[in-house]
Every structure is written in C-alpha cells, then in structure tokens.
Amino acid sequence: QEGKGIGLDSLSDDQEQMTEDELLQRKQQKQNLVAVAEAFNEKPFKQAWIEKAVELEILDTVENAKGVAQILYMASNLDKAKVGEYLSKGPEEDYPFNTKVRQFFISMFDFTEMGFAAALRLFLSKFRLPGEAQCIDRFMEGFANELYRQQGGDNSFFKNSDAVYVLSFSTIMLNTDLHNPMINDENRMTKQQFINNNRGINGGEDFPPEYLSLLYDQIKEQQIQVQRDVGEFMKKEEDDEDFRSAWDSILAKHREVAAASFTPAGQARRNIYKAGIHDREMFTVLVRYLRLCLPAVFARSMDDVIVFKTLRGLKQMAMCADYFDMPDLVNDTIEHLLVEGREYVVNVIIQEHSHVAHHHDARETQSVSSRSLGSVATTEDDESAADDTTYADEEKFDSQIPYSLLSTGKGYSEIDYTGASNHRGLLAMDTGFLLVRRYARKVITAWPIFIECLCAMRDARALPKGLSELDDF
C-alpha cells in the first residue's frame, strides 16, 4: 500500500500565506516529527516508531511506504547512519517494504536543474552510505535511475541510466582517493587518470574531457560527505579534521538562512500590539525555564536589585499567564510568593519571642551584654524606661525594610533597593496579595496558603484590629 503522508505536505516552505491556526498546526506537526525521529533513532528496524507516527496522525497506516519515506526525508535529528542502513536493506524479495520506501525516498529529490556533482552531494546529504557494497549499489542504482529520468531520459546528456550509475561509483572512488588522509599526495588519482578511467561509459561513448575535468576539480575543491551533526562528535571521539569539516558545513547552512526580523523596542513601546497564538506558544516555551529559574534566583541572591527585579519578573510572568488564560501558572506563582511570605512572618514571630525571652533573662540577671543583646536604648538612671527598651538589631531590622518597593510605597520620591534581600519574604507576600486581589477570579489552589498567611499575620499582630477580631479568627 502506497498511502500518503498525513500532515507532512504542509511542512514545505513554499506556502506564502498561512493563518495563525495553520502555523500553529504546522509547529505541532514538526514537534510530532521530532518525537517520531527519536523513536526511529532508538530502534529503526522495529515497528514501534512507525506505530508512533500512526498514533500522532503523521501516517494513516503502518503500511504507508510513501509516508515513511517522507518522514525519513523531512524529519530533523535523524541518525543519518541508521537512515542509510534502513533504506539500503535488500534484496527486494526479502525486504519489499524497505525497497518501496527507498524508491519513494529517492523520488523526493529534485535534480532537474542540477549538475551531476551538485546532485550527488544533495543525494548523499540525507543519509550516510553504509559500508556494504551491495547496500551502496542499491542507493547508486536508485540515484542513477532518478537523475536520468528527471534530466530528460532519452534526451538527457547521459545516454542511459547505466552511465549515471558508473559515473556515480567512479566519482565516489575519486572523492575517497583525493580526500583520504592515509593516501600520500603522490599516489592520489590525477585528472588524466580519472578521464581515462571513464572512457566509453556513456553508452559506449566518452564523456567530453572538459566535463570530466570540471567534475574532477569540483570534487577536489570540495569533498563530498554526508552532513553530520556536531552532536555526533560529542558522543564519541572523532578525528579533528572530521569535526572541522562538519562544523564548516553547519556554518554554511547558517548563511543560507534568512536573518531574523524583530520589532525595534522603541516602536514596540509606542504601539500596542495584540499578542496572538505565536506569542502564547513562545511564552509557553519560555515559562518552562522561567518558573524554575526566577524562584531559584529570588530565593538565593543576596543582591538587593536582583532580588527586586526577579520579583518583578515573577509578577510579570503571572500577568502574562492571566492574559494567555493559564490559571495553573497564575496559581503556582501566587503560591510560591505566599509561601515565601508566610515563612517570613513565621521567622519574625520567632525572632520576636527570642528577643522577649532574652530580654527577660537579662533583666533577671541584671546583666547587660552588648555582644548578646546589642545596644540597649535606655539609660541607667531611668528605670522607668525599661518597658520601652529596644535593641539596636531591631532598629536596624526596621530601618532596612524597603518601604518604597512595597505596593503601598508609591508615595516615595526615590526608589531605594536597600534591604530587599533581607526582606524578600515581605516583598513576596506583598506581591502575592496584590496578585490575589487582581486575579481573584482565577485563584483556586492558592487560597489555602493565602489563609495561612493571614493566620500567620494574626499571630504576629500585624492584621488590622477589625480583621483580627473577626469570629473566624
């Protein structure tokens, strides 16, 4: 059964106008192809990767040879050595499905306006030739038939497909001879030897000497090789020359890609652009890492400015999540902020009780130790001032609170970041309460921690009297 690929034709780059929904569907199809490619790389000769393609609606049936060929031709991240092994399986009577896939695969190349060397380079760029002679023969026979058919058949420069077949083998041998580092320069094939070796192969006639001379120069100047990913070199030791060659190929591909186009920041600020599907998809990708990175930096950094900017990033992340209708992320962000706030209040309560107990012990022993208590803000002559005793540490604690960074601190003429790292929990709780008030309609799982924060604030006597004396409390 030949069948047809499901959703693969839309991945071609010749579509000028596409709607947002179509582009989103195309993105999903590419992600599905990557998943199928990973399954193929793991076990190429098992049926599981083809079944996965059917499950993801890339193929209609597991017997769809044309669809399988499309996957092997179009999918990225494929192991090209395994692609070569899969496609070269034979003979046909033993591997009929692989043979059909190979035929469809080769027919997808467009050699119409290409020279022989360029066509051969393109063909070998999609896979790595296996080491067995019979496997190479199957590939070269398919390449010869397709190139001859596309370039005019009987009207072609080549007399028959056999001429293409023989010249293909001869060119591969020349490529190996010219670029094999184990061969000394004086033993490499000369241009005249290459011309002599190919006499009479074009239907009993010779190719024009200038044609073979040009072909020789093209192969000598640029080696024909299978394009390899840098990742292959990271898995095992490879020759440095092979690595440089592969890296040069990647850089060459980079030059073929159009430059990215961005809206200037100034223009973006002057104009209001409504976010669309692509923006949501971009935010979804970024937030996978932001929801891990921002809380970690917020919790660990001791830089006041970084702590505040990270907190602002968490707030903006919640705002974007609300805009794109992602309530789970809104709740997760609020929960994280309120957990930080609750811990802050609990620590304040513990510190307060510790100071009270310490002060009580000091009065009983009538010992004032600056090392353990700090400076006592009282005089020895005025015992009545004992009830108003404060400690330098407490004064320092209060003086470092970044009031200008709180939601109620808009009246401050200047923003002072000092103390943001010491009071990050207070800032987090302030931002969390602000988000709860703003997005109350989407708050679901964050309500319990919100109530815990209120209870902790009641224990710290930080709630307004009217709220702390409610029956529920």
Side-chain angles (χ1 to χ4, degrees):
Q1 179 182 351
E2 292 184 4
K4 62 179 181 179
I6 305 298
L8 291 179
D9 293 335
S10 63
L11 296 181
S12 59
D13 296 327
D14 58 353
Q15 302 181 41
E16 296 181 358
Q17 299 293 334
M18 298 183 68
T19 65
E20 287 189 346
D21 290 338
E22 290 172 338
L23 286 172
L24 184 61
Q25 181 182 9
R26 177 176 178 176
K27 181 175 183 287
Q28 184 60 51
Q29 289 168 352
K30 288 186 176 181
Q31 292 175 344
N32 291 343
L33 272 180
V34 171
V36 173
E38 292 174 352
F40 171 85
N41 292 340
E42 185 176 350
K43 295 180 179 180
F45 295 104
K46 298 294 184 180
Q47 193 82 349
W49 72 273
I50 301 180
E51 293 174 351
K52 188 175 186 67
V54 174
E55 178 186 345
L56 295 175
E57 298 184 351
I58 296 176
L59 300 178
D60 50 359
T61 68
V62 294
E63 299 176 351
N64 186 344
K66 182 178 181 180
V68 171
Q70 284 183 311
I71 293 175
L72 297 180
Y73 186 87
M74 301 176 66
S76 58
N77 302 325
L78 286 171
D79 186 323
K80 294 179 180 178
K82 293 180 179 179
V83 172
E85 293 175 6
Y86 183 88
L87 292 174
S88 64
K89 278 293 182 181
E92 181 176 357
E93 54 270 20
D94 294 333
Y95 298 92
F97 185 75
N98 295 68
T99 301
K100 286 184 179 180
V101 173
R102 182 173 65 251
Q103 292 170 350
F104 282 119
F105 178 84
I106 296 175
S107 68
M108 293 178 186
F109 291 89
D110 184 7
F111 304 133
T112 308
E113 303 294 334
M114 303 184 71
F116 177 79
L120 188 58
R121 290 183 199 279
L122 175 63
F123 180 65
L124 297 179
S125 68
K126 290 290 186 179
F127 60 91
R128 294 183 63 183
L129 280 174
E132 298 181 14
Q134 291 181 336
C135 295
I136 298 175
D137 180 77
R138 296 185 188 104
F139 271 123
M140 292 300 100
E141 182 180 5
F143 169 74
N145 291 333
E146 188 64 23
L147 180 67
Y148 179 71
R149 182 188 67 81
Q150 291 189 22
Q151 297 197 353
D154 294 338
N155 298 322
S156 170
F157 169 77
F158 299 98
K159 297 297 183 180
N160 49 48
S161 61
D162 290 340
V164 183
Y165 174 81
V166 175
L167 185 59
S168 300
F169 264 108
S170 179
T171 303
I172 292 176
M173 293 175 60
L174 172 67
N175 183 73
T176 302
D177 189 270
L178 292 180
H179 299 284
N180 190 339
M182 304 300 294
I183 300 178
N184 295 327
D185 291 341
E186 60 271 15
N187 295 328
R188 298 189 188 279
M189 186 183 303
T190 65
K191 183 180 296 186
Q192 188 58 48
Q193 289 174 332
F194 177 68
I195 295 174
N196 294 337
N197 291 341
N198 290 285
R199 293 188 184 279
I201 67 172
N202 192 18
E205 301 178 5
D206 295 341
F207 285 111
E210 57 273 13
Y211 176 82
L212 295 177
S213 177
L214 177 61
L215 177 59
Y216 181 95
D217 292 337
Q218 290 173 336
I219 302 303
K220 184 176 181 179
E221 292 173 3
Q222 184 180 359
Q223 178 184 4
I224 294 179
Q225 59 182 358
V226 176
Q227 304 297 330
R228 303 177 64 183
D229 297 327
V230 172
E232 296 184 43
F233 296 91
M234 304 305 175
K235 299 176 183 177
K236 56 184 178 180
E237 295 183 0
E238 295 283 352
D239 183 75
D240 290 341
E241 185 62 30
D242 289 340
F243 180 86
R244 286 192 295 270
S245 179
W247 185 249
D248 290 341
S249 298
I250 293 174
L251 294 179
K253 285 184 177 180
H254 169 72
R255 290 190 290 269
E256 298 174 1
V257 178
S261 176
F262 299 97
T263 302
Q267 180 181 348
R269 294 189 183 98
R270 290 192 299 269
N271 299 278
I272 298 177
Y273 296 98
K274 184 178 179 180
I277 294 178
H278 306 305
D279 302 282
R280 189 183 194 281
E281 288 298 309
M282 184 181 299
F283 177 72
T284 301
V285 173
L286 291 175
V287 84
R288 297 174 190 171
Y289 308 99
L290 290 177
R291 68 194 309 173
L292 298 176
C293 177
L294 291 179
V297 174
F298 179 75
R300 298 175 185 176
S301 176
M302 297 305 298
D303 187 292
D304 292 333
V305 176
I306 291 178
V307 168
F308 176 73
K309 289 186 175 181
T310 307
L311 179 63
R312 185 172 60 185
L314 288 167
K315 178 182 176 182
Q316 292 172 341
M317 184 172 69
M319 294 170 62
C320 291
D322 172 71
Y323 180 85
F324 290 122
D325 194 22
M326 302 169 67
D328 290 342
L329 180 57
V330 174
N331 281 267
D332 289 346
T333 305
I334 293 176
E335 285 185 56
H336 172 78
L337 293 172
L338 294 184
V339 167
E340 290 279 347
R342 180 194 60 189
E343 296 302 319
Y344 175 84
V345 176
V346 171
N347 288 334
V348 169
I349 296 174
I350 294 174
Q351 185 179 25
E352 179 183 2
H353 285 291
S354 175
H355 284 173
V356 171
H358 202 173
H359 178 53
H360 179 71
D361 293 342
R363 293 185 62 180
E364 287 183 349
T365 59
Q366 295 183 355
S367 172
V368 180
S369 171
S370 61
R371 178 173 300 178
S372 60
L373 297 177
S375 300
V376 179
T378 184
T379 61
E380 296 179 0
D381 298 334
D382 190 3
E383 294 180 0
S384 64
D387 293 337
D388 298 327
T389 300
T390 58
Y391 295 94
D393 286 346
E394 295 176 4
E395 293 176 353
K396 181 180 180 181
F397 184 89
D398 291 337
S399 66
Q400 288 182 342
I401 293 178
Y403 291 104
S404 63
L405 302 182
L406 298 174
S407 59
T408 57
K410 296 181 179 180
Y412 289 83
S413 58
E414 295 183 0
I415 296 179
D416 185 4
Y417 298 102
T418 305
S421 59
N422 291 333
H423 298 278
R424 72 189 74 207
L426 176 64
L427 297 174
M429 185 168 60
D430 178 69
T431 302
F433 282 174
L434 179 65
L435 293 177
V436 168
R437 182 174 60 183
R438 181 177 296 177
Y439 306 121
R441 57 189 172 82
K442 291 192 176 180
V443 176
I444 302 175
T445 60
W447 283 122
I449 187 63
F450 175 76
I451 300 299
E452 290 181 25
C453 284
L454 292 180
C455 293
M457 293 178 67
R458 180 205 61 183
D459 296 339
R461 300 185 301 279
L463 289 178
K465 184 176 181 180
L467 182 60
S468 60
E469 293 180 354
L470 288 176
D471 293 340
D472 289 344
F473 285 89

